[in-house]
Structure formats: C-alpha cells, structure tokens
Amino acid sequence: ICIKWLAHFHGNFLNTTPTGLWDTGTYWHLATRLDELNAINDPVLKKAAPLIEGQLNQCEFKTIVHGDAKVANFCFSENAVAAVDFQYVGGGCGMKDLAYFLGSTLSDDEIENNEAEILDFYFLELQKSMELNKKNQFFQKTKMQWLELYPFAWADFHRFLEGWRPGHWKLGAYSNEQLNLVYKKLNL
C-alpha cells in the first residue's frame, strides 16, 4: 500500500517545479552531506559520489519526492495509508523514495527475490496516476529513465550510509549489488 502511495504521489507531481520546497528532496543528497562524503574510506565510492548525484540530478522526468519515505513515516488504517514527516520534500527522481522505502522495510533477500514484481507494481500504479493526472504521454519515457536510475538511487543512499555509519545493516548484499551495477555503468 505504501508503494502504491509513493507511485501516485510521484505521478501526481511529475514535472512539477518544487516551488517553496527543497530544490533537491531527500535528507542525504550530496550537497548537504559533505562531512559524510569526506568520511568515506573507499576511494572509488568517493570518486563516484558526484557522478551518481549528477545522474540523478540530470533526470529529465523529475517529480516531488517525499525525501524520507521510510516505513516509520507512514500511518496505517485497515484499508489506507498516509505519509507524514514531509521535512525533506523536494524535487528529484521517484526512485530515490522507492529505494529508500524498500531498504527500510524488506531484507536483501526479500528485495532481490521480489524486485521485478515490486518494480512492475510500482510502475503500474505510476501509470494509473499519470493517466489520472493527464501525464500519460510521458509514461514510457519516465519508466525507461527511472528504471535506469533505480540502481543510482540505491547507490546514492549507500554512499550516504558509508559516510554516516559504515557497517549499517542497510549496507547489505543487495545494496552492494546495486552499487556495483552503477560502477559498471560509470566505467569505474
């Protein structure tokens, strides 16, 4: 239900300028986390950090992201969910919210074993939202670009965690796999 909420939030605000919000949503984006960048011991990750951020910031189909879409920031009733804590809401690629949410709720094995199903569900709901908001002409291009940026979103959060709290439980095998995919795409 939270993935559906995120997809509809992103679809509703696709191609919306974040007026009065953070230009770049999320609490871990590189410009605000230079201390964490400097604390990273891995020279390849340090080198990759601005390249990863650059890929995400060059996203053609930006939306408004919640910026702290962890399970603790959702309230549940029997048939509905609502998000709270919009402190870091701003512009960006919707994959940043999705990757962060998945990392806050599922184990590496659960994500890896269900990745295709999760992404298919997210994009099905995004398409529904874009149709409702008369933005469906951008759906295929948005989906293609966001799927390409999905590992970059993981790698971006991975970079923050490596500088903030090395050894954090979210720095598991799945996150490392996504980071290695990004390294290959960046020829690092």
Side-chain angles (χ1 to χ4, degrees):
I1 196 166
C2 294
I3 294 171
K4 181 178 179 178
W5 187 95
L6 285 170
H8 284 264
F9 183 75
H10 296 152
N12 184 56
F13 292 108
L14 187 73
N15 294 335
T16 299
T17 303
T19 306
L21 306 170
W22 295 104
D23 289 336
T24 303
T26 69
Y27 69 89
W28 66 85
H29 71 90
L30 193 58
T32 62
R33 295 301 183 161
L34 297 178
D35 288 343
E36 288 81 3
L37 177 64
N38 291 328
I40 293 172
N41 291 323
D42 179 350
V44 178
L45 183 54
K46 252 187 194 176
K47 180 180 178 181
L51 303 173
I52 293 166
E53 175 101 348
Q55 289 292 312
L56 290 165
N57 288 344
Q58 291 174 25
C59 178
E60 180 183 357
F61 300 100
K62 290 184 182 174
T63 189
I64 303 296
V65 295
H66 180 280
D68 195 10
K70 60 187 174 190
V71 73
N73 285 336
F74 287 90
C75 298
F76 301 90
S77 71
E78 190 171 315
N79 297 314
V81 67
V84 297
D85 191 6
F86 285 85
Q87 182 178 355
Y88 301 103
V89 69
C93 174
M95 295 294 94
K96 291 169 84 173
D97 276 343
L98 183 62
Y100 182 64
F101 176 75
L102 294 176
S104 79
T105 59
L106 301 174
S107 71
D108 283 356
D109 287 342
E110 290 171 320
I111 298 168
E112 191 157 1
N113 293 336
N114 297 290
E115 179 186 66
E117 182 182 347
I118 291 166
L119 290 170
D120 286 349
F121 178 76
Y122 173 85
F123 283 108
L124 176 67
E125 293 299 326
L126 181 68
Q127 184 174 25
K128 289 176 186 176
S129 177
M130 290 174 71
E131 287 172 2
L132 286 171
N133 291 288
K134 310 221 182 308
K135 298 177 184 183
N136 52 323
Q137 70 272 25
F138 304 113
F139 175 72
Q140 287 303 326
K141 287 183 177 180
T142 302
K143 180 180 178 182
M144 278 185 11
Q145 186 177 66
W146 285 12
L147 282 171
E148 184 72 23
L149 290 173
Y150 176 74
F152 285 87
W154 273 98
D156 189 49
F157 189 66
H158 185 108
R159 175 264 316 151
F160 162 69
L161 286 176
E162 281 289 350
W164 178 65
R165 189 166 295 161
H168 192 282
W169 67 269
K170 290 182 184 180
L171 292 169
Y174 185 81
S175 186
N176 279 305
E177 287 173 21
Q178 298 306 306
L179 181 63
N180 287 326
L181 283 172
V182 167
Y183 284 167
K184 286 179 186 171
K185 290 180 181 196
L186 295 174
N187 296 314
L188 295 174

